[in-house]
PDB file of all heavy atoms in Angstrom:
ATOM      1  N   GLU A  16      -6.733  -4.889  -1.890  1.00 96.00           N
ATOM      2  CA  GLU A  16      -5.461  -5.186  -1.242  1.00 96.00           C
ATOM      3  C   GLU A  16      -5.576  -6.472  -0.431  1.00 96.00           C
ATOM      4  O   GLU A  16      -6.648  -6.806   0.084  1.00 96.00           O
ATOM      5  CB  GLU A  16      -5.034  -4.055  -0.295  1.00 96.00           C
ATOM      6  CG  GLU A  16      -4.822  -2.705  -0.956  1.00 96.00           C
ATOM      7  CD  GLU A  16      -5.996  -1.790  -0.758  1.00 96.00           C
ATOM      8  OE1 GLU A  16      -7.110  -2.283  -0.588  1.00 96.00           O
ATOM      9  OE2 GLU A  16      -5.791  -0.549  -0.782  1.00 96.00           O
ATOM     10  N   SER A  17      -4.462  -7.153  -0.292  1.00 96.00           N
ATOM     11  CA  SER A  17      -4.383  -8.337   0.548  1.00 96.00           C
ATOM     12  C   SER A  17      -2.957  -8.511   1.033  1.00 96.00           C
ATOM     13  O   SER A  17      -2.044  -7.860   0.516  1.00 96.00           O
ATOM     14  CB  SER A  17      -4.843  -9.584  -0.220  1.00 96.00           C
ATOM     15  OG  SER A  17      -4.011  -9.816  -1.330  1.00 96.00           O
ATOM     16  N   GLY A  18      -2.785  -9.381   2.023  1.00 97.00           N
ATOM     17  CA  GLY A  18      -1.450  -9.688   2.510  1.00 97.00           C
ATOM     18  C   GLY A  18      -1.083  -9.041   3.825  1.00 97.00           C
ATOM     19  O   GLY A  18       0.005  -9.291   4.354  1.00 97.00           O
ATOM     20  N   GLY A  19      -1.952  -8.207   4.346  1.00 97.00           N
ATOM     21  CA  GLY A  19      -1.658  -7.584   5.628  1.00 97.00           C
ATOM     22  C   GLY A  19      -1.759  -8.569   6.776  1.00 97.00           C
ATOM     23  O   GLY A  19      -2.209  -9.702   6.604  1.00 97.00           O
ATOM     24  N   GLY A  20      -1.323  -8.129   7.944  1.00 97.00           N
ATOM     25  CA  GLY A  20      -1.398  -8.991   9.109  1.00 97.00           C
ATOM     26  C   GLY A  20      -0.475  -8.525  10.206  1.00 97.00           C
ATOM     27  O   GLY A  20       0.015  -7.383  10.183  1.00 97.00           O
ATOM     28  N   LEU A  21      -0.230  -9.415  11.144  1.00 98.00           N
ATOM     29  CA  LEU A  21       0.643  -9.141  12.285  1.00 98.00           C
ATOM     30  C   LEU A  21       2.015  -9.752  12.027  1.00 98.00           C
ATOM     31  O   LEU A  21       2.110 -10.933  11.652  1.00 98.00           O
ATOM     32  CB  LEU A  21       0.033  -9.730  13.556  1.00 98.00           C
ATOM     33  CG  LEU A  21       0.870  -9.655  14.828  1.00 98.00           C
ATOM     34  CD1 LEU A  21       1.090  -8.202  15.247  1.00 98.00           C
ATOM     35  CD2 LEU A  21       0.200 -10.446  15.946  1.00 98.00           C
ATOM     36  N   VAL A  22       3.044  -8.955  12.232  1.00 98.00           N
ATOM     37  CA  VAL A  22       4.404  -9.440  12.030  1.00 98.00           C
ATOM     38  C   VAL A  22       5.300  -8.858  13.114  1.00 98.00           C
ATOM     39  O   VAL A  22       5.045  -7.757  13.619  1.00 98.00           O
ATOM     40  CB  VAL A  22       4.913  -9.053  10.617  1.00 98.00           C
ATOM     41  CG1 VAL A  22       4.975  -7.541  10.452  1.00 98.00           C
ATOM     42  CG2 VAL A  22       6.244  -9.692  10.305  1.00 98.00           C
ATOM     43  N   GLN A  23       6.329  -9.586  13.480  1.00 98.00           N
ATOM     44  CA  GLN A  23       7.258  -9.117  14.504  1.00 98.00           C
ATOM     45  C   GLN A  23       8.234  -8.107  13.914  1.00 98.00           C
ATOM     46  O   GLN A  23       8.511  -8.132  12.704  1.00 98.00           O
ATOM     47  CB  GLN A  23       8.032 -10.300  15.088  1.00 98.00           C
ATOM     48  CG  GLN A  23       7.171 -11.238  15.903  1.00 98.00           C
ATOM     49  CD  GLN A  23       7.990 -12.299  16.603  1.00 98.00           C
ATOM     50  OE1 GLN A  23       9.136 -12.556  16.251  1.00 98.00           O
ATOM     51  NE2 GLN A  23       7.410 -12.920  17.614  1.00 98.00           N
ATOM     52  N   PRO A  24       8.762  -7.228  14.740  1.00 98.00           N
ATOM     53  CA  PRO A  24       9.789  -6.290  14.255  1.00 98.00           C
ATOM     54  C   PRO A  24      10.936  -7.042  13.593  1.00 98.00           C
ATOM     55  O   PRO A  24      11.378  -8.087  14.095  1.00 98.00           O
ATOM     56  CB  PRO A  24      10.239  -5.586  15.532  1.00 98.00           C
ATOM     57  CG  PRO A  24       9.039  -5.644  16.423  1.00 98.00           C
ATOM     58  CD  PRO A  24       8.405  -6.985  16.146  1.00 98.00           C
ATOM     59  N   GLY A  25      11.388  -6.498  12.469  1.00 98.00           N
ATOM     60  CA  GLY A  25      12.442  -7.144  11.698  1.00 98.00           C
ATOM     61  C   GLY A  25      11.927  -8.121  10.662  1.00 98.00           C
ATOM     62  O   GLY A  25      12.698  -8.588   9.813  1.00 98.00           O
ATOM     63  N   GLY A  26      10.640  -8.419  10.711  1.00 98.00           N
ATOM     64  CA  GLY A  26      10.059  -9.367   9.771  1.00 98.00           C
ATOM     65  C   GLY A  26       9.697  -8.733   8.439  1.00 98.00           C
ATOM     66  O   GLY A  26       9.963  -7.546   8.191  1.00 98.00           O
ATOM     67  N   SER A  27       9.064  -9.550   7.594  1.00 98.00           N
ATOM     68  CA  SER A  27       8.692  -9.117   6.252  1.00 98.00           C
ATOM     69  C   SER A  27       7.240  -9.459   5.956  1.00 98.00           C
ATOM     70  O   SER A  27       6.683 -10.411   6.513  1.00 98.00           O
ATOM     71  CB  SER A  27       9.574  -9.798   5.202  1.00 98.00           C
ATOM     72  OG  SER A  27      10.933  -9.459   5.367  1.00 98.00           O
ATOM     73  N   LEU A  28       6.652  -8.675   5.082  1.00 98.00           N
ATOM     74  CA  LEU A  28       5.331  -8.937   4.541  1.00 98.00           C
ATOM     75  C   LEU A  28       5.309  -8.496   3.095  1.00 98.00           C
ATOM     76  O   LEU A  28       6.044  -7.568   2.714  1.00 98.00           O
ATOM     77  CB  LEU A  28       4.239  -8.166   5.297  1.00 98.00           C
ATOM     78  CG  LEU A  28       3.670  -8.735   6.587  1.00 98.00           C
ATOM     79  CD1 LEU A  28       2.654  -7.756   7.168  1.00 98.00           C
ATOM     80  CD2 LEU A  28       3.037 -10.089   6.374  1.00 98.00           C
ATOM     81  N   LYS A  29       4.453  -9.133   2.304  1.00 98.00           N
ATOM     82  CA  LYS A  29       4.262  -8.709   0.926  1.00 98.00           C
ATOM     83  C   LYS A  29       2.785  -8.453   0.688  1.00 98.00           C
ATOM     84  O   LYS A  29       1.955  -9.359   0.829  1.00 98.00           O
ATOM     85  CB  LYS A  29       4.774  -9.767  -0.053  1.00 98.00           C
ATOM     86  CG  LYS A  29       4.750  -9.309  -1.507  1.00 98.00           C
ATOM     87  CD  LYS A  29       5.412 -10.330  -2.423  1.00 98.00           C
ATOM     88  CE  LYS A  29       5.488  -9.846  -3.855  1.00 98.00           C
ATOM     89  NZ  LYS A  29       6.192 -10.809  -4.745  1.00 98.00           N
ATOM     90  N   LEU A  30       2.468  -7.223   0.366  1.00 98.00           N
ATOM     91  CA  LEU A  30       1.098  -6.838   0.065  1.00 98.00           C
ATOM     92  C   LEU A  30       0.839  -6.938  -1.430  1.00 98.00           C
ATOM     93  O   LEU A  30       1.752  -6.733  -2.236  1.00 98.00           O
ATOM     94  CB  LEU A  30       0.811  -5.412   0.534  1.00 98.00           C
ATOM     95  CG  LEU A  30       1.114  -5.082   1.990  1.00 98.00           C
ATOM     96  CD1 LEU A  30       0.692  -3.642   2.288  1.00 98.00           C
ATOM     97  CD2 LEU A  30       0.442  -6.048   2.926  1.00 98.00           C
ATOM     98  N   SER A  31      -0.402  -7.239  -1.766  1.00 98.00           N
ATOM     99  CA  SER A  31      -0.822  -7.277  -3.165  1.00 98.00           C
ATOM    100  C   SER A  31      -1.996  -6.326  -3.368  1.00 98.00           C
ATOM    101  O   SER A  31      -2.797  -6.115  -2.461  1.00 98.00           O
ATOM    102  CB  SER A  31      -1.234  -8.693  -3.565  1.00 98.00           C
ATOM    103  OG  SER A  31      -0.177  -9.606  -3.439  1.00 98.00           O
ATOM    104  N   CYS A  32      -2.077  -5.796  -4.559  1.00 97.00           N
ATOM    105  CA  CYS A  32      -3.200  -4.947  -4.955  1.00 97.00           C
ATOM    106  C   CYS A  32      -3.675  -5.462  -6.303  1.00 97.00           C
ATOM    107  O   CYS A  32      -3.006  -5.267  -7.323  1.00 97.00           O
ATOM    108  CB  CYS A  32      -2.770  -3.498  -5.051  1.00 97.00           C
ATOM    109  SG  CYS A  32      -4.036  -2.374  -5.699  1.00 97.00           S
ATOM    110  N   ALA A  33      -4.818  -6.122  -6.292  1.00 96.00           N
ATOM    111  CA  ALA A  33      -5.367  -6.702  -7.513  1.00 96.00           C
ATOM    112  C   ALA A  33      -6.430  -5.769  -8.084  1.00 96.00           C
ATOM    113  O   ALA A  33      -7.329  -5.327  -7.367  1.00 96.00           O
ATOM    114  CB  ALA A  33      -5.978  -8.063  -7.219  1.00 96.00           C
ATOM    115  N   ALA A  34      -6.298  -5.471  -9.359  1.00 94.00           N
ATOM    116  CA  ALA A  34      -7.195  -4.509 -10.004  1.00 94.00           C
ATOM    117  C   ALA A  34      -8.126  -5.186 -10.997  1.00 94.00           C
ATOM    118  O   ALA A  34      -7.798  -6.232 -11.571  1.00 94.00           O
ATOM    119  CB  ALA A  34      -6.374  -3.440 -10.720  1.00 94.00           C
ATOM    120  N   SER A  35      -9.266  -4.579 -11.183  1.00 92.00           N
ATOM    121  CA  SER A  35     -10.196  -5.010 -12.229  1.00 92.00           C
ATOM    122  C   SER A  35     -10.892  -3.780 -12.781  1.00 92.00           C
ATOM    123  O   SER A  35     -10.997  -2.759 -12.103  1.00 92.00           O
ATOM    124  CB  SER A  35     -11.223  -6.007 -11.690  1.00 92.00           C
ATOM    125  OG  SER A  35     -11.975  -5.430 -10.654  1.00 92.00           O
ATOM    126  N   GLY A  36     -11.304  -3.862 -14.038  1.00 90.00           N
ATOM    127  CA  GLY A  36     -12.010  -2.751 -14.654  1.00 90.00           C
ATOM    128  C   GLY A  36     -11.138  -1.573 -15.015  1.00 90.00           C
ATOM    129  O   GLY A  36     -11.642  -0.461 -15.219  1.00 90.00           O
ATOM    130  N   ILE A  37      -9.845  -1.802 -15.124  1.00 86.00           N
ATOM    131  CA  ILE A  37      -8.927  -0.702 -15.370  1.00 86.00           C
ATOM    132  C   ILE A  37      -7.746  -1.205 -16.191  1.00 86.00           C
ATOM    133  O   ILE A  37      -7.375  -2.370 -16.089  1.00 86.00           O
ATOM    134  CB  ILE A  37      -8.437  -0.093 -14.041  1.00 86.00           C
ATOM    135  CG1 ILE A  37      -7.786   1.262 -14.256  1.00 86.00           C
ATOM    136  CG2 ILE A  37      -7.489  -1.038 -13.319  1.00 86.00           C
ATOM    137  CD1 ILE A  37      -7.496   1.993 -12.959  1.00 86.00           C
ATOM    138  N   ILE A  38      -7.200  -0.325 -16.999  1.00 82.00           N
ATOM    139  CA  ILE A  38      -5.985  -0.665 -17.731  1.00 82.00           C
ATOM    140  C   ILE A  38      -4.783  -0.334 -16.862  1.00 82.00           C
ATOM    141  O   ILE A  38      -4.651   0.777 -16.373  1.00 82.00           O
ATOM    142  CB  ILE A  38      -5.910   0.120 -19.055  1.00 82.00           C
ATOM    143  CG1 ILE A  38      -7.069  -0.298 -19.973  1.00 82.00           C
ATOM    144  CG2 ILE A  38      -4.576  -0.119 -19.743  1.00 82.00           C
ATOM    145  CD1 ILE A  38      -7.159   0.512 -21.242  1.00 82.00           C
ATOM    146  N   PHE A  39      -3.919  -1.314 -16.645  1.00 81.00           N
ATOM    147  CA  PHE A  39      -2.767  -1.119 -15.783  1.00 81.00           C
ATOM    148  C   PHE A  39      -1.601  -0.476 -16.525  1.00 81.00           C
ATOM    149  O   PHE A  39      -0.974   0.448 -16.035  1.00 81.00           O
ATOM    150  CB  PHE A  39      -2.320  -2.489 -15.238  1.00 81.00           C
ATOM    151  CG  PHE A  39      -2.297  -2.580 -13.761  1.00 81.00           C
ATOM    152  CD1 PHE A  39      -3.339  -2.095 -12.997  1.00 81.00           C
ATOM    153  CD2 PHE A  39      -1.235  -3.170 -13.106  1.00 81.00           C
ATOM    154  CE1 PHE A  39      -3.331  -2.181 -11.625  1.00 81.00           C
ATOM    155  CE2 PHE A  39      -1.212  -3.266 -11.734  1.00 81.00           C
ATOM    156  CZ  PHE A  39      -2.250  -2.773 -10.987  1.00 81.00           C
ATOM    157  N   SER A  40      -1.355  -1.010 -17.699  1.00 82.00           N
ATOM    158  CA  SER A  40      -0.153  -0.630 -18.433  1.00 82.00           C
ATOM    159  C   SER A  40      -0.123   0.867 -18.710  1.00 82.00           C
ATOM    160  O   SER A  40      -1.102   1.447 -19.174  1.00 82.00           O
ATOM    161  CB  SER A  40      -0.107  -1.397 -19.752  1.00 82.00           C
ATOM    162  OG  SER A  40       1.055  -1.054 -20.477  1.00 82.00           O
ATOM    163  N   GLY A  41       1.020   1.486 -18.398  1.00 85.00           N
ATOM    164  CA  GLY A  41       1.217   2.897 -18.685  1.00 85.00           C
ATOM    165  C   GLY A  41       0.705   3.842 -17.635  1.00 85.00           C
ATOM    166  O   GLY A  41       0.934   5.048 -17.717  1.00 85.00           O
ATOM    167  N   ASN A  42       0.034   3.342 -16.618  1.00 91.00           N
ATOM    168  CA  ASN A  42      -0.516   4.202 -15.572  1.00 91.00           C
ATOM    169  C   ASN A  42       0.374   4.232 -14.335  1.00 91.00           C
ATOM    170  O   ASN A  42       1.021   3.244 -14.004  1.00 91.00           O
ATOM    171  CB  ASN A  42      -1.907   3.726 -15.171  1.00 91.00           C
ATOM    172  CG  ASN A  42      -2.937   3.983 -16.245  1.00 91.00           C
ATOM    173  OD1 ASN A  42      -2.884   4.996 -16.940  1.00 91.00           O
ATOM    174  ND2 ASN A  42      -3.881   3.072 -16.393  1.00 91.00           N
ATOM    175  N   ALA A  43       0.383   5.371 -13.678  1.00 94.00           N
ATOM    176  CA  ALA A  43       1.088   5.492 -12.412  1.00 94.00           C
ATOM    177  C   ALA A  43       0.268   4.830 -11.308  1.00 94.00           C
ATOM    178  O   ALA A  43      -0.969   4.831 -11.341  1.00 94.00           O
ATOM    179  CB  ALA A  43       1.325   6.953 -12.071  1.00 94.00           C
ATOM    180  N   MET A  44       0.964   4.285 -10.328  1.00 95.00           N
ATOM    181  CA  MET A  44       0.291   3.641  -9.207  1.00 95.00           C
ATOM    182  C   MET A  44       1.218   3.596  -8.025  1.00 95.00           C
ATOM    183  O   MET A  44       2.433   3.799  -8.175  1.00 95.00           O
ATOM    184  CB  MET A  44      -0.168   2.239  -9.599  1.00 95.00           C
ATOM    185  CG  MET A  44       0.929   1.313 -10.044  1.00 95.00           C
ATOM    186  SD  MET A  44       0.267  -0.207 -10.766  1.00 95.00           S
ATOM    187  CE  MET A  44      -0.527   0.426 -12.227  1.00 95.00           C
ATOM    188  N   GLY A  45       0.673   3.326  -6.846  1.00 97.00           N
ATOM    189  CA  GLY A  45       1.544   3.281  -5.695  1.00 97.00           C
ATOM    190  C   GLY A  45       0.810   2.878  -4.432  1.00 97.00           C
ATOM    191  O   GLY A  45      -0.303   2.356  -4.480  1.00 97.00           O
ATOM    192  N   TRP A  46       1.470   3.161  -3.325  1.00 98.00           N
ATOM    193  CA  TRP A  46       0.950   2.800  -2.012  1.00 98.00           C
ATOM    194  C   TRP A  46       1.033   3.994  -1.069  1.00 98.00           C
ATOM    195  O   TRP A  46       2.003   4.748  -1.095  1.00 98.00           O
ATOM    196  CB  TRP A  46       1.769   1.650  -1.426  1.00 98.00           C
ATOM    197  CG  TRP A  46       1.651   0.367  -2.162  1.00 98.00           C
ATOM    198  CD1 TRP A  46       2.407  -0.046  -3.228  1.00 98.00           C
ATOM    199  CD2 TRP A  46       0.721  -0.693  -1.897  1.00 98.00           C
ATOM    200  NE1 TRP A  46       2.002  -1.288  -3.643  1.00 98.00           N
ATOM    201  CE2 TRP A  46       0.976  -1.708  -2.844  1.00 98.00           C
ATOM    202  CE3 TRP A  46      -0.280  -0.891  -0.958  1.00 98.00           C
ATOM    203  CZ2 TRP A  46       0.248  -2.898  -2.872  1.00 98.00           C
ATOM    204  CZ3 TRP A  46      -1.012  -2.062  -0.974  1.00 98.00           C
ATOM    205  CH2 TRP A  46      -0.747  -3.057  -1.925  1.00 98.00           C
ATOM    206  N   TYR A  47       0.010   4.135  -0.253  1.00 98.00           N
ATOM    207  CA  TYR A  47      -0.014   5.085   0.853  1.00 98.00           C
ATOM    208  C   TYR A  47      -0.299   4.289   2.134  1.00 98.00           C
ATOM    209  O   TYR A  47      -0.753   3.144   2.085  1.00 98.00           O
ATOM    210  CB  TYR A  47      -1.122   6.124   0.655  1.00 98.00           C
ATOM    211  CG  TYR A  47      -0.767   7.243  -0.289  1.00 98.00           C
ATOM    212  CD1 TYR A  47      -0.746   7.041  -1.663  1.00 98.00           C
ATOM    213  CD2 TYR A  47      -0.455   8.508   0.199  1.00 98.00           C
ATOM    214  CE1 TYR A  47      -0.422   8.081  -2.531  1.00 98.00           C
ATOM    215  CE2 TYR A  47      -0.136   9.553  -0.651  1.00 98.00           C
ATOM    216  CZ  TYR A  47      -0.126   9.324  -2.018  1.00 98.00           C
ATOM    217  OH  TYR A  47       0.202  10.355  -2.870  1.00 98.00           O
ATOM    218  N   ARG A  48      -0.050   4.928   3.257  1.00 98.00           N
ATOM    219  CA  ARG A  48      -0.402   4.319   4.522  1.00 98.00           C
ATOM    220  C   ARG A  48      -0.903   5.379   5.487  1.00 98.00           C
ATOM    221  O   ARG A  48      -0.534   6.551   5.392  1.00 98.00           O
ATOM    222  CB  ARG A  48       0.775   3.561   5.122  1.00 98.00           C
ATOM    223  CG  ARG A  48       1.935   4.431   5.560  1.00 98.00           C
ATOM    224  CD  ARG A  48       3.095   3.556   6.037  1.00 98.00           C
ATOM    225  NE  ARG A  48       4.213   4.354   6.529  1.00 98.00           N
ATOM    226  CZ  ARG A  48       5.375   3.831   6.929  1.00 98.00           C
ATOM    227  NH1 ARG A  48       5.563   2.524   6.898  1.00 98.00           N
ATOM    228  NH2 ARG A  48       6.331   4.621   7.372  1.00 98.00           N
ATOM    229  N   GLN A  49      -1.738   4.923   6.415  1.00 98.00           N
ATOM    230  CA  GLN A  49      -2.295   5.833   7.407  1.00 98.00           C
ATOM    231  C   GLN A  49      -2.307   5.154   8.760  1.00 98.00           C
ATOM    232  O   GLN A  49      -3.007   4.152   8.964  1.00 98.00           O
ATOM    233  CB  GLN A  49      -3.710   6.260   7.016  1.00 98.00           C
ATOM    234  CG  GLN A  49      -4.294   7.334   7.909  1.00 98.00           C
ATOM    235  CD  GLN A  49      -5.568   7.934   7.340  1.00 98.00           C
ATOM    236  OE1 GLN A  49      -6.226   7.367   6.478  1.00 98.00           O
ATOM    237  NE2 GLN A  49      -5.921   9.120   7.817  1.00 98.00           N
ATOM    238  N   ALA A  50      -1.508   5.690   9.653  1.00 97.00           N
ATOM    239  CA  ALA A  50      -1.499   5.212  11.034  1.00 97.00           C
ATOM    240  C   ALA A  50      -2.623   5.905  11.802  1.00 97.00           C
ATOM    241  O   ALA A  50      -3.051   7.001  11.445  1.00 97.00           O
ATOM    242  CB  ALA A  50      -0.154   5.501  11.681  1.00 97.00           C
ATOM    243  N   ARG A  51      -3.070   5.269  12.843  1.00 95.00           N
ATOM    244  CA  ARG A  51      -4.180   5.815  13.633  1.00 95.00           C
ATOM    245  C   ARG A  51      -3.814   7.202  14.154  1.00 95.00           C
ATOM    246  O   ARG A  51      -2.765   7.401  14.749  1.00 95.00           O
ATOM    247  CB  ARG A  51      -4.507   4.876  14.780  1.00 95.00           C
ATOM    248  CG  ARG A  51      -5.740   5.260  15.566  1.00 95.00           C
ATOM    249  CD  ARG A  51      -6.073   4.202  16.599  1.00 95.00           C
ATOM    250  NE  ARG A  51      -6.361   2.916  15.962  1.00 95.00           N
ATOM    251  CZ  ARG A  51      -6.641   1.816  16.651  1.00 95.00           C
ATOM    252  NH1 ARG A  51      -6.654   1.852  17.972  1.00 95.00           N
ATOM    253  NH2 ARG A  51      -6.906   0.701  16.024  1.00 95.00           N
ATOM    254  N   GLY A  52      -4.693   8.154  13.894  1.00 95.00           N
ATOM    255  CA  GLY A  52      -4.465   9.505  14.377  1.00 95.00           C
ATOM    256  C   GLY A  52      -3.522  10.335  13.520  1.00 95.00           C
ATOM    257  O   GLY A  52      -3.178  11.457  13.894  1.00 95.00           O
ATOM    258  N   HIS A  53      -3.110   9.798  12.387  1.00 96.00           N
ATOM    259  CA  HIS A  53      -2.183  10.503  11.504  1.00 96.00           C
ATOM    260  C   HIS A  53      -2.798  10.671  10.111  1.00 96.00           C
ATOM    261  O   HIS A  53      -3.767  10.012   9.760  1.00 96.00           O
ATOM    262  CB  HIS A  53      -0.867   9.743  11.394  1.00 96.00           C
ATOM    263  CG  HIS A  53      -0.064   9.747  12.649  1.00 96.00           C
ATOM    264  ND1 HIS A  53      -0.344   8.938  13.726  1.00 96.00           N
ATOM    265  CD2 HIS A  53       1.026  10.469  13.015  1.00 96.00           C
ATOM    266  CE1 HIS A  53       0.526   9.157  14.682  1.00 96.00           C
ATOM    267  NE2 HIS A  53       1.363  10.089  14.283  1.00 96.00           N
ATOM    268  N   GLN A  54      -2.196  11.530   9.330  1.00 97.00           N
ATOM    269  CA  GLN A  54      -2.647  11.714   7.958  1.00 97.00           C
ATOM    270  C   GLN A  54      -2.140  10.566   7.101  1.00 97.00           C
ATOM    271  O   GLN A  54      -1.261   9.809   7.500  1.00 97.00           O
ATOM    272  CB  GLN A  54      -2.124  13.041   7.409  1.00 97.00           C
ATOM    273  CG  GLN A  54      -0.599  13.087   7.264  1.00 97.00           C
ATOM    274  CD  GLN A  54      -0.102  14.427   6.731  1.00 97.00           C
ATOM    275  OE1 GLN A  54      -0.819  15.428   6.760  1.00 97.00           O
ATOM    276  NE2 GLN A  54       1.118  14.460   6.228  1.00 97.00           N
ATOM    277  N   ARG A  55      -2.728  10.451   5.915  1.00 96.00           N
ATOM    278  CA  ARG A  55      -2.289   9.416   4.970  1.00 96.00           C
ATOM    279  C   ARG A  55      -1.000   9.876   4.304  1.00 96.00           C
ATOM    280  O   ARG A  55      -0.927  10.970   3.746  1.00 96.00           O
ATOM    281  CB  ARG A  55      -3.385   9.182   3.930  1.00 96.00           C
ATOM    282  CG  ARG A  55      -3.192   7.933   3.106  1.00 96.00           C
ATOM    283  CD  ARG A  55      -4.419   7.628   2.263  1.00 96.00           C
ATOM    284  NE  ARG A  55      -5.588   7.300   3.082  1.00 96.00           N
ATOM    285  CZ  ARG A  55      -6.719   6.812   2.574  1.00 96.00           C
ATOM    286  NH1 ARG A  55      -6.836   6.614   1.265  1.00 96.00           N
ATOM    287  NH2 ARG A  55      -7.729   6.545   3.372  1.00 96.00           N
ATOM    288  N   ASP A  56       0.015   9.040   4.362  1.00 96.00           N
ATOM    289  CA  ASP A  56       1.337   9.389   3.839  1.00 96.00           C
ATOM    290  C   ASP A  56       1.741   8.487   2.673  1.00 96.00           C
ATOM    291  O   ASP A  56       1.366   7.315   2.628  1.00 96.00           O
ATOM    292  CB  ASP A  56       2.400   9.258   4.938  1.00 96.00           C
ATOM    293  CG  ASP A  56       2.247  10.296   6.032  1.00 96.00           C
ATOM    294  OD1 ASP A  56       1.819  11.427   5.718  1.00 96.00           O
ATOM    295  OD2 ASP A  56       2.549   9.964   7.193  1.00 96.00           O
ATOM    296  N   LEU A  57       2.548   9.049   1.796  1.00 97.00           N
ATOM    297  CA  LEU A  57       3.044   8.291   0.658  1.00 97.00           C
ATOM    298  C   LEU A  57       4.071   7.250   1.098  1.00 97.00           C
ATOM    299  O   LEU A  57       5.009   7.560   1.824  1.00 97.00           O
ATOM    300  CB  LEU A  57       3.686   9.239  -0.358  1.00 97.00           C
ATOM    301  CG  LEU A  57       4.350   8.568  -1.555  1.00 97.00           C
ATOM    302  CD1 LEU A  57       3.313   7.950  -2.474  1.00 97.00           C
ATOM    303  CD2 LEU A  57       5.222   9.572  -2.312  1.00 97.00           C
ATOM    304  N   VAL A  58       3.875   6.026   0.647  1.00 98.00           N
ATOM    305  CA  VAL A  58       4.883   4.983   0.826  1.00 98.00           C
ATOM    306  C   VAL A  58       5.793   4.958  -0.400  1.00 98.00           C
ATOM    307  O   VAL A  58       7.010   4.990  -0.300  1.00 98.00           O
ATOM    308  CB  VAL A  58       4.223   3.604   1.020  1.00 98.00           C
ATOM    309  CG1 VAL A  58       5.272   2.503   1.039  1.00 98.00           C
ATOM    310  CG2 VAL A  58       3.402   3.594   2.305  1.00 98.00           C
ATOM    311  N   GLY A  59       5.199   4.893  -1.564  1.00 98.00           N
ATOM    312  CA  GLY A  59       5.963   4.891  -2.801  1.00 98.00           C
ATOM    313  C   GLY A  59       5.053   5.007  -3.995  1.00 98.00           C
ATOM    314  O   GLY A  59       3.860   4.694  -3.917  1.00 98.00           O
ATOM    315  N   LEU A  60       5.622   5.456  -5.100  1.00 97.00           N
ATOM    316  CA  LEU A  60       4.852   5.666  -6.312  1.00 97.00           C
ATOM    317  C   LEU A  60       5.691   5.234  -7.507  1.00 97.00           C
ATOM    318  O   LEU A  60       6.877   5.561  -7.576  1.00 97.00           O
ATOM    319  CB  LEU A  60       4.484   7.141  -6.445  1.00 97.00           C
ATOM    320  CG  LEU A  60       3.455   7.513  -7.495  1.00 97.00           C
ATOM    321  CD1 LEU A  60       2.099   6.940  -7.129  1.00 97.00           C
ATOM    322  CD2 LEU A  60       3.353   9.021  -7.604  1.00 97.00           C
ATOM    323  N   THR A  61       5.070   4.494  -8.422  1.00 94.00           N
ATOM    324  CA  THR A  61       5.762   4.073  -9.630  1.00 94.00           C
ATOM    325  C   THR A  61       5.021   4.606 -10.847  1.00 94.00           C
ATOM    326  O   THR A  61       3.789   4.541 -10.916  1.00 94.00           O
ATOM    327  CB  THR A  61       5.896   2.541  -9.681  1.00 94.00           C
ATOM    328  OG1 THR A  61       6.592   2.166 -10.861  1.00 94.00           O
ATOM    329  CG2 THR A  61       4.551   1.842  -9.645  1.00 94.00           C
TER     330      THR A  61
END
């Protein structure tokens, strides 16, 4: 993953997830997030 950082409220960021050693096409994938002290939660899945 890349693209994270500090941003002000109301701003935007674009994260990237670059893969190697795997076939992308036809596979499900997505993003999760984990805030400090919390469980890992689903952001989205495609």
Side-chain angles (χ1 to χ4, degrees):
E16 299 101 333
S17 62
L21 174 65
V22 63
Q23 292 187 342
S27 298
L28 277 178
K29 187 174 184 177
L30 306 183
S31 299
C32 174
S35 60
I37 195 171
I38 296 174
F39 237 45
S40 180
N42 289 324
M44 59 190 66
W46 294 88
Y47 280 76
R48 67 185 183 184
Q49 187 168 19
R51 187 174 299 178
H53 291 78
Q54 66 181 17
R55 193 170 295 190
D56 292 327
L57 175 70
V58 173
L60 192 67
T61 181

